[in-house]
Amino acid sequence: MFDESLLEDPDALARADVHGLLRGVAAAGARVRTALRLADEAGLADLRPDGRPRALLVAGSGPEAAAACDLLAALGSGAAPVQLLTPTGPHPEQARWTLPGWSGPLDLLLLLSEHGTEQGLTDLVEQAYRRGCTAAAVTPAKTPLAEAVEQVRGIALPFAGPVGGPASAGGGAGDTDTGAFWALLTPLLALVGRIGLIGASGGDLGTVADRLDEIATRCGPAVATYTNPAKTLAAELEGSLPLLWSQGPVAAAAARRFATVLATRAGRPALAAELPAALTAHGPLQAGTHTLAGDPDDFFRDRVEDADELRLRVVLFQEAPDQPGSAAPAAREQAYAHDTPLSEITAPGGTPLATAAELLALTDFAAAYLAVASTERP
């Protein structure tokens, strides 16, 4: 059960946050700065690329790698194709990755791993070496993956793990590190920025760290719900099936990541789609919301045993306020026509990196509040 009153009690929130979800999200700015420092120490600043790669191939275990690849493609604006390599195998621990048949010396393989122990990723480095494909990895130092990349003359950028380990700085349920996303993404952006595929210098990423700190202050546990956008969004999403509608490539990547984070951290389903196609894709669902509740034709059913009705709620992601040709007005009109509640998340403007930081951090906080306030208590 979701206890909304818990959101107004910072001490109770701290006690309920047994996995350190909120601490991990709040530490995102610090993780970015640490990741930048470790990347510089690993020699990234001395890298002298001799040209742009034809394509970027991204591989990694877990949802964070997929989200990082998605955002990298959005920020790259088509400067080079970005393709996620999806693993195969009977179990995540036995996952295997395969390079596409067309990959070769003109391509760059990017590997992302919080642990650096996945045998499938280490084998992928060997595949890349045989194809003449350059490899780079973000992974803890001195792990099998880091050593494999260094052996083929690639670059291994250290993963900035949580200070004191997952238990003390943002470990989620199980072994999940809720701050891992920015620790994996930052060296990746710094590397790709160094190559010239996106505008992401060290100064730009330092500004992102400052923005993440500002969002942590604005969305922190001590801030009351009525002035805290993350708490407000968490309360609005309770008992709903969110339809995450987005406009713009960065907003679309943020919406898809939010759907993943809601599932993995808060155990909540969500559907993400881009405007204007979302209006057609989700229109029938809005028109048939009765299917989300109990059978309305079974008049004699025991309503005491009915599950709570699941409502639809549209969450509109925008990179900037409405512009000429925006699909946002049509989205609002369709939501209101179907009596679907609407929440809006709009970045205040700035660079694409700043926009990404705003949308990702706010939704990370919202998912953490949903998870913590829904913790079962006797």
Side-chain angles (χ1 to χ4, degrees), residues 37-51:
R37 175 177 57 80
L38 292 176
D40 283 342
E41 292 174 357
L44 182 60
D46 299 326
L47 182 65
R48 297 291 182 269
D50 55 2

Side-chain angles (χ1 to χ4, degrees), residues 255-279:
R256 287 188 287 267
R257 170 169 161 76
F258 190 33
T260 299
V261 170
L262 283 173
T264 57
R265 296 184 191 167
R268 308 295 181 99
L271 302 174
E274 298 182 48
L275 292 171
L279 304 180

Side-chain angles (χ1 to χ4, degrees), residues 246-316:
S246 57
Q247 185 164 249
V250 172
R256 287 188 287 267
R257 170 169 161 76
F258 190 33
T260 299
V261 170
L262 283 173
T264 57
R265 296 184 191 167
R268 308 295 181 99
L271 302 174
E274 298 182 48
L275 292 171
L279 304 180
T280 302
H282 291 165
L285 184 60
Q286 290 178 279
T289 53
H290 62 275
T291 60
L292 300 177
D295 183 0
D297 297 326
D298 186 4
F299 181 81
F300 297 103
R301 72 185 187 278
D302 186 353
R303 287 168 172 78
V304 174
E305 297 181 357
D306 272 0
D308 292 338
E309 181 179 346
L310 190 63
R311 311 177 310 275
L312 294 178
R313 173 174 282 274
V314 171
V315 182
L316 179 59

Side-chain angles (χ1 to χ4, degrees), residues 229-252:
K231 286 184 179 180
T232 299
L233 181 59
E236 291 172 344
L237 292 183
E238 169 55 22
S240 72
L241 173 62
L243 304 180
L244 309 178
W245 294 354
S246 57
Q247 185 164 249
V250 172

